[in-house]
Amino acid sequence: MAYENILFEKDGAVGSLTINRPKSLNALNPATLHEIAACLQDVRQDQSIHCLIITGAGDRAFIAGADIAAMVSMTALEGKAFAALGLSVLRTLEELPIPVIAAVNGFALGGGTELALACDLILAADKAKFGQPEINLGVIPGFGGTQRLARRIGLPRARELIYSGDMIDAETALRYGLVNKVVPVADLMSEAKALAHKLAAKPPVAIRQAKTAINTGIDLDLENGCRFENEAFALTFATADKVEGMKAFLEKRAASFKGE
């Protein structure tokens, strides 16, 4: 489909989705969320894409949040529907069977932090800023921020950020465990692409099983989480990639994975 608010491109086995509303600091309105949802469905169905990068257009923002101009006149029921749309899109993102990298190039506030949290890995430019400032608007995070942030950085720090609405810089986000790595802004996309291509070269079935085990197990007790991992582990033994990977190791050569 033709997009008005996002851009999508492929480079081999890596897809790149760019939120393309720089004049609005890439804020998320309903139209943009619907386009992201459509793009994610296409990515899921494209078996040639093994990793996805998400970033924001321009040099100021990743995603500055949900579009306040779109929300200001919403009723409670309309607000609930808007949040449900955001939750659905981010759940779709989180459930992609491939690794997703957020390349945070600037402000990631509100829905921007929430979208990044739904990704597997977060690379941040040294000028990036993170926060959940919804409290300053008289509302709370609505795209999963109260849930994913606490799971990512722990309750005390999540409570502080959500209650205060304060922003934190990239180095603080790294210290909190919110992001995986901080790089100079000029190197952000090259670093993200290098990582994406590295992950895209891994065995797709094993990556999918690892991601499923992590995402499912986080909500289970340890015993049941390990039981789920055991099933996912067994499934990888039924793949040609398992045979190739182990043979390549024993033969001291690089493996050639086929996703089979």
Side-chain angles (χ1 to χ4, degrees), residues 132-184:
Q132 299 283 176
E134 292 89 345
I135 203 76
N136 298 323
L137 303 174
V139 296
I140 68 170
F143 291 179
T146 62
Q147 305 304 305
R148 289 191 180 94
L149 187 62
R151 284 168 168 78
R152 180 72 69 103
I153 67 172
L155 279 170
R157 284 172 169 160
R159 284 173 171 148
E160 180 182 0
L161 289 177
I162 291 169
Y163 295 170
S164 70
D166 290 344
M167 288 191 297
I168 57 174
D169 60 22
E171 289 297 336
T172 302
L174 179 65
R175 190 169 73 252
Y176 282 8
L178 175 58
V179 308
N180 296 86
K181 188 177 182 180
V182 177
V183 301

Side-chain angles (χ1 to χ4, degrees), residues 9-245:
E9 60 182 8
K10 283 176 60 176
D11 177 13
V14 173
S16 295
L17 191 166
T18 302
I19 312 303
N20 189 33
R21 303 184 70 219
K23 291 182 180 178
S24 300
L25 297 183
N26 302 319
L28 299 174
N29 60 8
T32 304
L33 288 169
H34 282 297
E35 289 188 12
I36 294 172
C39 183
L40 294 179
Q41 291 297 339
D42 288 344
V43 168
R44 189 181 190 97
Q45 294 170 12
D46 188 339
Q47 298 298 309
S48 70
I49 299 176
H50 294 172
C51 191
L52 178 67
I53 298 169
I54 300 183
T55 193
D59 59 2
R60 297 182 62 196
F62 172 67
I63 298 168
D67 194 330
I68 298 173
M71 292 191 295
V72 65
S73 60
M74 288 182 183
T75 65
L77 286 177
E78 290 168 337
K80 183 177 182 180
F82 180 53
L85 172 61
L87 287 168
S88 175
V89 173
L90 297 197
R91 187 65 174 170
T92 299
L93 174 62
E94 192 170 51
E95 291 179 345
L96 282 180
I98 59 175
V100 182
I101 300 168
V104 179
N105 53 312
F107 290 110
L109 305 177
T113 288
E114 288 169 309
L115 188 144
L117 286 167
C119 298
D120 296 286
L121 302 169
I122 303 175
L123 299 188
D126 49 11
K127 70 169 190 173
K129 304 285 187 182
F130 297 83
Q132 299 283 176
E134 292 89 345
I135 203 76
N136 298 323
L137 303 174
V139 296
I140 68 170
F143 291 179
T146 62
Q147 305 304 305
R148 289 191 180 94
L149 187 62
R151 284 168 168 78
R152 180 72 69 103
I153 67 172
L155 279 170
R157 284 172 169 160
R159 284 173 171 148
E160 180 182 0
L161 289 177
I162 291 169
Y163 295 170
S164 70
D166 290 344
M167 288 191 297
I168 57 174
D169 60 22
E171 289 297 336
T172 302
L174 179 65
R175 190 169 73 252
Y176 282 8
L178 175 58
V179 308
N180 296 86
K181 188 177 182 180
V182 177
V183 301
V185 65
D187 299 334
L188 177 65
M189 289 310 297
S190 62
E191 290 265 0
K193 290 177 181 178
L195 176 58
H197 282 286
K198 176 181 179 179
L199 298 181
K202 303 298 181 181
V205 177
I207 286 283
R208 180 165 65 247
Q209 292 304 318
K211 180 168 181 175
T212 301
I214 291 169
N215 286 353
T216 301
I218 194 69
D219 293 322
L220 301 175
D221 60 79
L222 181 60
E223 181 178 355
N224 283 307
C226 288
R227 191 172 290 135
F228 189 93
E229 178 190 84
N230 183 250
E231 295 295 329
F233 177 78
L235 284 171
T236 63
F237 272 66
T239 66
D241 280 347
K242 170 259 181 185
V243 176
E244 166 63 12

